[in-house]
Amino acid sequence: MAELDWKNLSFGYLKTDYNIRSYFRNGAWTKPELTSDETINIHMAATVLHYGQAAFEGMKAFRGEDGKIRIFRPEENAKRMRQSAEYLIMAVPPIDMFVDMVKEVVRANERFVPPYGTGASLYIRPVLFGTGPRVGVKPADEYVLIIFVTPVGPYYKSGFNTVKFMIDRDHDRAAPLGTGHIKAGGNYGASLISSEMAHKLGYAGVLYLDAKEKKFIDECGTANFFGIRGKSYITPKSHSILTSITNMSVMTLAEEMGLTVEKRPVEFAELPTFEEVGACGTAAVISPVGEIYDPEHKYTYVFNEGKPGKWGKKLYHKLRAIQYGEEPDTHGWNLIL
């Protein structure tokens, strides 16, 4: 086991022993290989540098109370990366190869999987990008898939406590018929101006509205939005929202707990009717949102008196219990090494 302060890890990069890589050349993927090299040499005309041919994923591995390592739903990440690759006209990694690479790199870095009970996890980051040189705007003929890992603590420093968001009507993270539905690197580049503005003002992040009318709730940039009203779990549906694997899982759990799940366009006007609001994603897991500030109307929406709500707590603890092997994984979500 690596000598780290497991209980006080930030959500950032720490060097581990290995990453794993496969190259797409001459129409085929090479056999994946582990390496300790943290760098990569690419051509100065590589499409990733000029035309943004890049997509990534994020998932986590957990050390359970039984000592076993569980990787949460890697096949779903493989499917989502394939969707991103297809949309960006990149070489599409086979699901089996992707999952095998994830398993191999986690095993190779087993000493960096945080101990059970620390609240930390091993974050797994696959990234796919174009390395082939192009000057004209067209797809590359060569690509690389790299998967690296790093031990992390909570995405938000507050852990499972409420966070504050603000609304940004002056910037959009994705166009209505653009790349919002895939995990393209460019989506996150477009969100930096908003997130940095929010951080400087003391907010954890931004709640985006739809780019076309500013009438509907979109997402939180790094996570999906959900609201609880009565016994309904309500989450937005839009082409510009990335389908969150965490949200998929939470919706299943919500139904099992007796909530009605509504995935549909959610009007901004509904915001004050929610008793609880949250953001969910691989990095954030579930983060209860206590306040959302609307600078246009200089108004702050407060949910559940600014405290974590009962349904957010139940969903969070249920999901974490499955990920750590504390409760039965009845859906077969965990890949156990």
Side-chain angles (χ1 to χ4, degrees), residues 20-22 32 97-105 145 147:
I20 192 167
R21 307 177 183 192
S22 177
M97 183 187 85
F98 181 100
V99 174
D100 286 344
M101 288 174 69
V102 170
K103 290 192 290 186
E104 188 171 354
V105 76
L145 171 63
I147 305 180

Side-chain angles (χ1 to χ4, degrees), residues 160-172:
F160 189 75
N161 289 304
T162 53
V163 293
K164 298 179 182 180
F165 281 83
M166 66 173 289
I167 294 164
D168 183 6
R169 290 183 174 83
D170 298 324
H171 304 95
D172 299 315

